[in-house]
Amino acid sequence: MLERSDGEEALRLLLGDRLQEVTAALASAKSENEVLRVVLEPALRSLQAVAGAVLLLDREHSMLRLSASSGYEKGGSTIWQDGPLSAELPATHALQWGQALFFEHAEALHHAYPNLEQLTGARGPVASAVVPMLLEGQALGVIVLDFREPHVFTPPERRFLLTLASQCAIAFERLMLARELEERVDERTRELLQEKAELEAILASIPDAVYVASQSGVTRANDSARALLNLPSGDPLPRSVAELSERLRVRDPRSGARLNLNEEPLVRALSGETSSRDLLIRRDATGEDLLLRSTAAPIHVGGAVVGAVCVKTDITNSLQVREVRALNAQLEQRILERTMALEQQSAALDGFVQFARLTAQATDILTLARHAAQVLRAALGEVSVAYYQPHDHLWKARTWTDDIPPQALEMIRSGVHMDHASFARAVRERQVVYTERWDAESEGLAESREYGAGALYPYFVGTEPCGMLNLATRRAQAWSTREKEVFESVAQSLGLALERAEQARQLDEQRQTLQKHSEALEVANEELEAFSYSVSHDLRTPVRHIKGFAGLLRRAQQDRLDEKSARYLASIEQAASTMDNLIETLLDFSRTARQPLQVAPVPLEQLVDRTRTALAPDLQGREIEWHLEKLPTVLGDGETLQQVMTNLISNAIKYTRPRRPARIEIRALERPDDWLITVRDNGVGFDSRYQDKLFGVFQRLHDEDDFEGTGVGLANVKRIIARHGGQVGAESQVGQGAAFHFTLPKHPEVSGAVPDESS
């Protein structure tokens, strides 16, 4: 029972490591096919399944589609096919019932679905696992693993498959959310491009000269503006407002003197001031002087001046000025509004893209919350944002935007009681809560009287609230549909990032725990090996004394021993020999774990030939039929692998002694990552109920009077194969022979290995 518990614990740890690898790979998966590959391959490898498939529901949730498969014969048919969700099949039932189905032998699948092969036109597997992928109760599809031989699904394996299906469902949700975000970004980009084209058309249609500038220089000019500079389309614009002023030879119309640069309306607008004045300029193309009215206004984004727009109207003919003044004023305002809107939308789009990149990388919660606040400010303008965390029955602000008034800031830093109506409702309903026409006094938060509307988005770890994102505005008392969509989109993205950060934290804790357990187990194993070696070594001397003095006694008293005394003395000698043999075997077993392995190519056929030659004396008078398939050359330690083949073949020879003729078969099966070696015989077999005891030290399933042995050979086989990174197994029924298997990885990570320089 202890052996089995240790095996299950080792399997659980192995599968846990595989889950961590899958989780890390899924976090970087960019497509549905990549998710399917990341999930399917580890599932096959971890459970040693021969084939597997993933079936996904279509958009209408009416059909199951075969989306990925591995291990099936190319062009062949399987029972896992496209079909309606209403069909009476294992995959559809797993989804409808919301639970995994495990068929551990062919009779189980046939009993549950007797018409399955007739319905699908394909032969069913011997054993299968059908695991549904569910996300918050919604069915997404199933993961299927098939086995050629009966397979008992252990609790660690079942937990592994259920967790793998859950991770796959989460990955699909992340892809869907990312796809939706990309579609929104693409749609918004198209809108911005359309608006940009409209703006360009508007600028082109305006007869006045229009310049757009940032702090670093002139960024845009329409055809009229280029004409003043005698600049063809495509030629670079002036690098600065000073250069523009120099090119136009800007002068005061009253004095004719060069205008001070600080008096230029475009310069004043870049400092945040709307300005208008008349200027005298000289047209480069003709050399004539023109009287222009120059009007400029700043462009604000998030409260900061990011640029300015300037319209220069030719008022040389004052009559034209009066006629078009009203129209120009309207056009100027429209240009300013559209330009500011375009710049703000561009900044918001950049913020969304940066936030999406950050959520895929950062794990610090407050860093993520600060960036979410920046995105909301860029997208919605002058709004206040704060992120709270629970502490001592209070919601306390941990990060916030810098526009919050001092009294309100002091309040949120001190904390809002968890029983406050809006906060409590958000936690209770587990969804966003919008409060419009905010009344600070009735809400019991008098310090927030400057605000007209608020919104709260809660976050949870399991069932416990862990955070709250707060949005507030002083501009209005109600939220628009667009503002709600932007807030919920950013809040959901932050929630996904927080979930990933929490998962990363939990995985790190689990990894540290596993590391501690592994280190403790390693120390315990080393102590156990040392103890075993010491005990075995110390026992040899007294046993050999018993044998030696018993022999001396027999020779000294040979003529005086009666029959009964001679029989007693023979029993002493036999017991001492048996004890000496057991001690020697135990020492060999201990040395197997302590001796470094020399890794090199090992031809298994040579090991079999050597074993048969060494065991030739045991074959005298025996009739044995040997069935030997071609065996591969593997990477491993030749000396210890020789022990494995010798133990398994000698067992087969020993337990087929009553058979006439005896039959011994040795074959190899190549799999994607390893070789499966099988030694099968037609001997006396064993009761499969006790197969877990086979590979334990001093465990025997037959009477020693019938079959000699110490019960250490198979334990040694298990230890050697485990050090090579493989696994062992056995199948049998009483009187019907036995089959012993072991696997050898193609690229082993051998425990305690050193390179063989001779190879």
Side-chain angles (χ1 to χ4, degrees):
M1 185 64 68
L2 181 59
E3 290 280 343
R4 182 175 184 181
S5 175
D6 289 343
E8 286 192 0
E9 177 64 13
L11 178 60
R12 186 182 71 80
L13 295 176
L14 174 63
L15 296 179
D17 290 340
R18 289 285 167 81
L19 279 177
Q20 292 184 27
E21 295 171 2
V22 169
T23 301
L26 286 178
S28 59
K30 298 296 188 300
S31 66
E32 181 177 290
N33 288 337
E34 192 173 351
V35 169
L36 295 175
R37 178 182 59 77
V38 168
V39 169
L40 192 53
E41 292 179 1
L44 291 170
R45 186 169 67 254
S46 300
L47 272 66
Q48 299 182 9
V50 297
V54 178
L55 293 91
L56 299 177
L57 278 174
D58 61 6
R59 289 181 178 271
E60 291 74 24
H61 283 215
S62 60
M63 292 285 291
L64 270 176
R65 303 290 187 188
L66 181 61
S67 299
S69 64
S70 178
Y72 297 106
E73 182 180 354
K74 187 175 182 180
S77 60
T78 74
I79 64 172
W80 314 111
Q81 305 170 3
D82 294 354
L85 193 59
S86 58
E88 297 292 325
L89 296 172
T92 58
H93 282 166
L95 283 180
Q96 292 167 359
W97 299 339
Q99 64 182 28
L101 304 180
F102 297 98
F103 306 98
E104 298 184 330
H105 50 81
E107 291 76 8
L109 182 60
H110 179 73
H111 178 73
Y113 299 92
N115 299 323
L116 181 60
E117 295 185 354
Q118 181 179 357
L119 288 173
T120 61
R123 185 175 180 82
V126 174
S128 293
V130 186
V131 185
M133 291 185 292
L134 305 173
L135 186 65
E136 297 181 355
Q138 181 180 357
L140 297 182
V142 295
I143 298 175
V144 175
L145 297 182
D146 286 344
F147 301 79
R148 289 200 184 99
E149 298 178 353
H151 186 92
V152 176
F153 294 94
T154 64
E157 290 177 335
R158 297 190 180 208
R159 288 193 296 272
F160 170 77
L161 288 175
L162 291 173
T163 305
L164 189 66
S166 176
Q167 293 281 27
C168 185
I170 292 173
F172 278 127
E173 182 195 32
R174 181 177 62 80
L175 287 178
M176 289 187 290
L177 291 175
R179 191 176 299 118
E180 290 177 4
L181 181 58
E182 288 176 0
E183 291 173 355
R184 289 185 183 180
V185 170
D186 291 342
E187 180 181 357
R188 193 61 192 139
T189 301
R190 288 192 296 271
E191 292 176 357
L192 291 175
L193 290 175
Q194 178 64 29
E195 293 177 357
K196 181 180 179 182
E198 292 175 0
L199 177 60
E200 295 290 351
I202 292 171
L203 289 174
S205 67
I206 297 175
D208 295 328
V210 180
Y211 298 93
V212 179
S214 67
Q215 301 294 346
S216 59
V218 180
T219 60
R220 186 172 300 164
N222 67 352
D223 292 341
S224 299
R226 284 181 171 273
L228 289 179
L229 297 168
N230 195 26
L231 277 178
S233 178
D235 283 8
L237 293 167
R239 290 170 296 181
S240 65
V241 177
E243 183 179 343
L244 174 64
S245 180
E246 180 66 28
R247 290 281 299 273
L248 292 175
R249 300 181 187 177
V250 178
R251 289 163 289 160
D252 188 313
R254 298 184 187 87
S255 64
R258 289 297 299 270
L259 190 70
N260 190 306
L261 187 61
N262 292 332
E263 299 180 65
E264 166 67 56
L266 190 54
V267 173
R268 298 172 75 91
L270 286 172
S271 64
E273 176 185 346
T274 299
S275 176
S276 178
R277 68 169 296 161
D278 295 341
L279 305 172
L280 191 65
I281 71 158
R282 179 161 296 172
R283 186 195 293 267
D284 273 357
T286 62
E288 63 178 319
D289 285 339
L290 298 176
L291 181 62
L292 303 180
R293 176 151 296 157
S294 182
T295 302
I299 300 174
H300 294 275
V301 174
V305 177
V306 298
V309 61
C310 179
V311 178
K312 296 185 183 298
T313 305
D314 186 355
I315 58 172
T316 305
N317 186 334
S318 59
L319 179 60
Q320 290 179 338
V321 173
R322 290 194 299 270
E323 291 176 349
V324 301
R325 181 176 296 167
L327 179 60
N328 282 345
Q330 294 176 5
L331 291 175
E332 290 170 9
Q333 183 61 31
R334 185 177 179 186
I335 292 171
L336 289 173
E337 292 175 355
R338 295 299 297 272
T339 301
M340 289 188 291
L342 183 61
E343 296 291 345
Q344 183 175 357
Q345 291 165 357
S346 297
L349 182 59
D350 291 341
F352 269 111
V353 173
Q354 294 174 4
F355 184 60
R357 292 173 180 168
L358 181 70
T359 56
Q361 301 171 358
T363 57
D364 181 72
I365 294 175
L366 296 184
T367 298
L368 292 167
R370 280 192 290 271
H371 280 271
Q374 294 172 6
V375 171
L376 290 171
R377 290 273 292 174
L380 301 180
E382 297 178 0
V383 293
S384 298
V385 185
Y387 179 78
Y388 300 80
Q389 288 181 335
H391 181 74
D392 291 339
H393 302 290
L394 296 173
W395 284 107
K396 289 192 173 184
R398 297 296 307 279
T399 183
W400 51 83
T401 53
D402 57 9
D403 64 302
I404 300 176
Q407 289 184 341
L409 179 59
E410 180 62 28
M411 175 194 69
I412 65 175
R413 291 180 62 184
S414 299
V416 179
H417 201 277
M418 283 190 166
D419 292 335
H420 184 272
S422 297
F423 284 82
R425 179 184 167 196
V427 172
R428 182 175 64 255
E429 297 180 0
R430 297 178 70 92
Q431 64 182 6
V432 61
V433 170
Y434 293 101
T435 304
E436 300 182 337
R437 295 175 179 80
W438 178 265
D439 186 341
E441 278 69 23
S442 65
E443 292 285 345
L445 301 174
E447 297 87 347
S448 63
R449 61 174 59 89
E450 295 186 31
Y451 292 95
L456 293 168
Y457 195 102
Y459 300 100
F460 297 84
V461 173
T463 59
E464 294 298 318
C466 67
M468 189 81 70
L469 186 64
N470 178 209
L471 178 70
T473 177
R474 287 180 275 186
R475 297 178 308 184
Q477 290 190 330
W479 295 107
S480 68
T481 301
R482 175 182 174 274
E483 288 172 330
K484 290 182 178 180
E485 290 176 349
V486 170
F487 177 57
E488 292 179 22
S489 177
V490 173
Q492 289 170 3
S493 297
L494 177 60
L496 291 174
L498 295 181
E499 289 179 8
R500 188 177 63 81
E502 176 63 19
Q503 291 173 356
R505 185 191 64 78
Q506 293 178 358
L507 286 174
D508 186 61
E509 289 181 356
Q510 293 174 3
R511 184 166 52 252
Q512 293 178 6
T513 300
L514 290 175
Q515 179 66 25
K516 291 179 181 178
H517 289 172
S518 177
E519 293 173 354
L521 184 61
E522 184 69 24
V523 171
N525 282 339
E526 291 177 356
E527 292 177 351
L528 183 60
E529 295 296 341
F531 175 75
S532 173
Y533 184 84
S534 175
V535 169
S536 302
H537 187 272
D538 292 343
L539 287 175
R540 297 182 73 183
T541 300
V543 169
R544 289 180 177 176
H545 284 174
I546 293 172
K547 290 179 62 178
F549 283 108
L552 291 174
L553 179 61
R554 177 181 294 280
R555 288 191 294 272
Q557 302 295 326
Q558 185 173 7
D559 298 335
R560 289 173 286 184
L561 288 174
D562 56 29
E563 181 180 353
K564 186 175 183 181
S565 298
R567 188 170 64 254
Y568 288 164
L569 189 57
S571 295
I572 293 173
E573 291 175 327
Q574 178 61 37
S577 296
T578 300
M579 185 66 177
D580 189 43
N581 189 27
L582 286 173
I583 293 171
E584 187 64 36
T585 303
L586 187 58
L587 283 172
D588 289 341
F589 182 70
S590 177
R591 280 192 293 267
T592 299
R594 300 164 67 91
Q595 178 181 350
L597 302 182
Q598 304 290 334
V599 179
V602 179
L604 293 183
E605 287 188 350
Q606 290 186 11
L607 302 187
V608 173
D609 291 341
R610 292 174 189 164
T611 299
R612 293 179 62 188
T613 300
L615 298 176
D618 297 334
L619 306 181
Q620 297 296 326
R622 294 284 305 277
E623 181 182 354
I624 298 179
E625 295 179 358
W626 294 91
H627 296 269
L628 307 177
E629 293 186 3
K630 183 174 178 59
L631 300 178
T633 295
V634 299
L635 284 176
D637 178 75
E639 181 178 347
T640 56
L641 290 180
Q642 181 70 69
Q643 295 181 45
V644 170
M645 298 307 300
T646 300
N647 272 306
L648 295 182
I649 294 174
S650 62
N651 271 3
I653 293 173
K654 176 168 53 176
Y655 291 109
T656 56
R657 194 180 298 148
R659 300 292 185 252
R660 296 290 186 276
R663 177 185 174 91
I664 299 175
E665 172 188 343
I666 304 175
R667 61 186 179 91
L669 174 64
E670 183 176 10
R671 303 192 297 192
D673 299 315
D674 60 18
W675 291 94
L676 175 66
I677 313 299
T678 302
V679 178
R680 188 183 302 274
D681 63 62
N682 65 339
V684 298
F686 58 84
D687 191 334
S688 61
R689 292 177 300 173
Y690 306 111
Q691 66 180 10
D692 291 338
K693 295 183 177 181
L694 278 176
F695 296 97
V697 181
F698 300 132
Q699 296 291 333
R700 294 177 50 84
L701 301 184
H702 299 89
D703 196 312
E704 190 173 357
D705 293 336
D706 297 328
F707 298 99
E708 70 281 359
T710 62
V712 176
L714 290 180
N716 223 5
V717 167
K718 179 178 180 181
R719 174 163 290 185
I720 292 170
I721 296 302
R723 293 188 67 192
H724 282 76
Q727 297 178 332
V728 297
E731 302 167 1
S732 179
Q733 292 184 12
V734 176
Q736 298 185 24
F740 288 84
H741 314 284
F742 65 89
T743 63
L744 289 173
K746 292 182 178 179
H747 305 287
E749 295 181 2
V750 180
S751 172
V754 296
D756 186 350
E757 296 179 357
S758 64
S759 62

